[in-house]
Amino acid sequence: MQTIGDLRRLRDVIAQWRAAGQAVALVPTMGALHAGHVALIDAAKRPGTRVVASIFVNPRQFGPSEDLGRYPRREASDARMLTAAGCDLLWMPSVETMYPAGFATNVSVAGVSDGFDGAARPGHFDGVATVVTKLFNQVSPDLAYFGEKDFQQLAVIRRLVADLDLAVEIVGVPTQRDDDGLALSSRNIYLDEVQRASAVALPRALGIAARSIARGDAPDDALAEARETLIAAGFEIDYVALADAETLAPDPAPDRPRRLLAAARMGTTRLIDNVPIEQG
Ligand code: PAF
């Protein structure tokens, strides 16, 4: 695997691949890689396709009181993991390459960005949409892979690509989980042993609520029970909500694809998770 930090060099390599008739798949990341990212690389590996992973801890998607400074950075072990996973190229731009002096553009996706994490983290999805647009323009991938764990992010990126006629196919990859069900996340390392044991309440409460809603129980009751379970486990809740799986509008009709979404803090660590409501 080659690691590149220079945009002209990246474009040369990609042009050579294209001239050889190969497709390009992109897996955008902020590093601190885990098995969830390896699942994205695995999904991206196809005959005739070169896989590019990017690592860029994007300052524009962190709020002023968020954890940019302590976000885990493990470039050497990340590169080893990507090599072992069969990634062809690691694109690792500097902040100056991504946002040179004078950078003044903001990409904002209205509607789908507004609620949930968009409300809890103002500006977050503008930062994501801006950097993902840049990554698409830099790498010009045919396909790009994103985890369903960041479900709202996936919905924002699908909307962005549709609205701007970007020539890239977005592939959502199911959330990877630890054996007890906790969604894999670069932030799980912040949990101490007791918090880690309690955190399993998040996927469990969502699973119980999703099954109850799928059976036809009143969503408000199922959500209230999930909130009680999470509070009893020591979580401070940002939101536990049912949304349209495409637009993320609240209170979706039962014949629409629906998703249960949650964000909650265990100590200082903010965890998110989501599950589908299976259609009957
Ligand atoms: O999901 C992430 O790791 C980031 O939000 C992304 C998509 C790489 C943009 O910085």
Side-chain angles (χ1 to χ4, degrees):
M1 183 187 74
Q2 49 186 323
T3 299
I4 296 180
D6 176 74
L7 184 53
R8 205 174 318 163
R9 172 96 190 100
L10 173 76
R11 288 194 161 134
D12 284 349
V13 171
I14 287 174
Q16 284 163 24
W17 290 347
R18 291 214 172 281
Q22 289 167 324
V24 177
L26 172 65
V27 177
T29 83
M30 296 206 302
L33 304 180
H34 51 65
H37 297 104
V38 173
L40 299 180
I41 301 284
D42 283 345
K45 281 193 298 189
R46 293 180 185 187
T49 300
R50 295 290 196 148
V51 179
V52 177
S54 61
I55 296 181
F56 179 67
V57 182
N58 175 30
R60 294 174 75 97
Q61 69 188 75
F62 289 79
S65 61
E66 291 184 348
D67 56 355
L68 173 63
R70 70 164 189 159
Y71 198 83
R73 289 167 201 252
R74 301 194 297 241
E75 280 87 359
S77 62
D78 286 349
R80 283 195 295 275
M81 198 183 280
L82 290 170
T83 303
C87 179
D88 295 292
L89 190 156
L90 170 57
W91 168 229
M92 217 158 60
S94 64
V95 174
E96 292 71 32
T97 298
M98 198 56 101
Y99 301 124
F103 186 90
T105 298
N106 184 52
V107 180
S108 188
V109 184
V112 67
S113 294
D114 295 343
F116 308 118
D117 264 41
R121 307 178 65 191
H124 170 70
F125 287 118
D126 283 14
V128 170
T130 302
V131 81
V132 168
T133 304
K134 288 206 57 141
L135 288 167
F136 287 170
N137 285 330
Q138 292 164 345
V139 178
S140 60
D142 302 282
L143 302 122
Y145 291 75
F146 295 87
E148 286 185 346
K149 178 177 157 277
D150 293 295
F151 197 78
Q152 188 173 11
Q153 168 171 281
L154 181 57
V156 168
I157 290 163
R158 287 192 193 284
R159 186 75 261 159
L160 166 79
V161 165
D163 288 355
L164 298 185
D165 306 313
L166 301 181
V168 54
E169 183 186 330
I170 302 303
V171 184
V173 176
T175 303
Q176 303 296 303
R177 297 179 181 280
D178 269 339
D179 289 345
D180 64 359
L182 184 68
L184 298 187
S185 163
S186 307
R187 292 190 166 102
N188 290 354
I189 56 164
Y190 300 143
L191 299 169
D192 66 28
E193 213 175 311
V194 175
Q195 291 172 330
R196 173 62 189 80
S198 304
V200 73
L202 182 55
R204 288 196 184 145
L206 288 185
I208 291 167
R211 285 191 291 277
S212 153
I213 294 168
R215 276 196 308 268
D217 296 346
D220 284 351
D221 295 344
L223 296 178
E225 196 180 319
R227 285 187 197 106
E228 273 173 33
T229 306
L230 293 178
I231 290 166
F235 275 107
E236 196 183 313
I237 297 173
D238 267 4
Y239 58 82
V240 178
L242 183 63
D244 185 293
E246 198 183 313
T247 63
L248 294 200
D251 303 321
D255 61 344
R256 288 282 307 161
R258 294 178 293 172
R259 202 91 186 179
L260 202 50
L261 306 158
R265 275 167 222 281
M266 178 60 74
T268 55
T269 306
R270 187 171 186 275
L271 300 179
I272 58 171
D273 203 350
N274 67 86
V275 291
I277 307 296
E278 303 298 346
Q279 306 280 66

